[in-house]
Amino acid sequence: MIEPQLPPPPSAVAEDELLDGDECIVIVDDYPDLVILVQDFLGQRGLTTVIADSADSLHRRLVEHKVALVLLDIGLPDADGTALLPELKRDDPDLAVIMLTAVTDLQTALACLRYGADDYLTKPVGFTELLATVHRVLEKRRLTIRNRWYQRQIEQATFRIQLAHALAMKMNTAYLSTMELDEILHAILIGITAEEGLRFDRAFLALFDESGVILEGRLAIGPGSREEGLPAWSGLERQAGRSLNFDFKARRDAQSAHAEINRIVRALRIEARDSEHILIRAVRNRKSINVIGGQCAHAVPLELLGLLQEDSFVIVPLFSPSRALGVLIADHFVSRAPIGEEQIQALESFASQASLAIEHCRLYVTMERKIKELEEVTSELQKNKDLLVETERYSALGHMAAQLAHSIRNPITAIGGTARLLARKVENPEWLQFLSMMAAEAGKIEKILEDLFNFVEQSKPVLERTHLLPLVRKALLLHFNALNNRNITKTFIFPERDPLVRVDPRQIQQALVHLIRNSIEAMPQGGELTVNVAEENERVVIALSDTGQGMSREDLGHATDPFYTTKMVGAGMGLALVRRIIQDHEGELILASDAHRGMRATIVLPAAPR
């Protein structure tokens, strides 16, 4: 068998790539001299070999080593090599087998090939033929493995493209509601963990709340523990990727069964101000972070490692051009495989889809809220236009009444009184006629003023049992434009249970309208209006606070007096009217203020029994 060592024929696979670093060739033969020669020859060619002299020792080598090729003698002392072939191929379909035999028999050769042998050589084997055959079989094996790997990569890329297309079509053909957002985010997590997707074992999604203050865990997919293992959860989620008929809702509902993974994601809660936290740092810097063995360029919190029960994972930020949205976290929790750069780049592609969906949804929700707000304002203005007209009438009549009171009433009273006094002392009929006329006309003017005041006076309330919060909201809606135009921020502190009161809804709303208008007029350059509603000891308290100009102690003492005002325009009838309304409801109006520090108006009403 000793022949010149000729070079192998040209190969599509480099010689140093025929075997992976830890793979080897097993030479199975019960002739030691032959085995040594073949082992030495292949070793000189850089091919790692181990030997076995029986079927039993072959099985041990297969367990002990990562075997790529078996040079298998048909005639072994404890088995027929041909009979071993089906078992070897069943246990490892990628295992290459070259049969060796001293018998030249066509039927035997065909049987070996039928059972899965890659080639067949007869003894004595020439080294050149052996080396060429080994190269050819290993090259075929490597090309088959590569082809399968490339095919999987193509399938994964196709899946990701089709998933991205399906998600984009859904976002482009319909506006997103919160429910649709959850479905799309779940589909993205499925794509990250699907067999044809990125093949991560778990994926977590955390989003900032509406205020941007807290980063909260939102959704997750994957096994909750290693004991649960990959097979326990792969059935639905991983197979879900095989069909591109994305039933978002069904997959979202199915995921709810994974209680442990949901517990983990719900426990994820980080304050945005914690700028050193690795999750906040990733989203602030808008850069992915790959944590390997609990280590990266930044400090990794032990509580995060404990919560995830994993020390290797990748963090990918979610963001729009204007704000940070959250993070995606993915890991190989069960397989413990390393996370490569290619996977991170693909994950960033999924993150961009998630960011688009989240931003699209938030913009739509904001738009819907503003439209609803405007519709409510329009509706309330339409329904309460008479109340606004009446309120304005009270203001106009109050202003007019004050002018009449200060400019006419006193002079007219003096004129009328003087005319009546002179009429009793004058006997001249002509003078008496003029004086009587003056007294009568003065009396008419006094009666007109009295009738005017009677018109302004509040009628008695018609009480009914009603909830209070709708009355407060309607009064605020009537001033929606004025609050926005003056850049006045609104803070509402309402109880969970809507208080019940026994009031005249129209009059209480009218009182609230006056108080809110006063607060707006006190903040011409903007400020803050706080409305606080609470139940205290069988009483309902409504407190309206502003950051306006406030009142001095002296002005505050006269604030509810009729016709008393500190304004350049107006008669000061508003607070007097509010006080009368509240008193008619057996309530109390309390005013508190410091000059230039704002005003607080508190209405206390008896609560209605439930």
Side-chain angles (χ1 to χ4, degrees), residues 25-57:
I25 299 172
V26 178
I27 306 169
V28 187
D29 202 301
D30 56 351
Y31 289 100
D33 294 340
L34 174 62
V35 169
I36 292 172
L37 285 172
V38 173
Q39 185 178 30
D40 180 66
F41 172 72
L42 294 178
Q44 291 180 20
R45 302 299 300 176
L47 299 172
T48 305
T49 59
V50 294
I51 60 175
D53 58 3
S54 65
D56 183 59
S57 61

Side-chain angles (χ1 to χ4, degrees), residues 1-3 34 37-38 100-104 121-130:
M1 288 185 60
I2 301 175
E3 298 179 0
L34 174 62
L37 285 172
V38 173
L100 301 175
T101 179
V103 179
T104 304
L121 295 175
T122 57
K123 300 178 184 178
V125 180
F127 280 173
T128 301
E129 182 183 6
L130 174 64

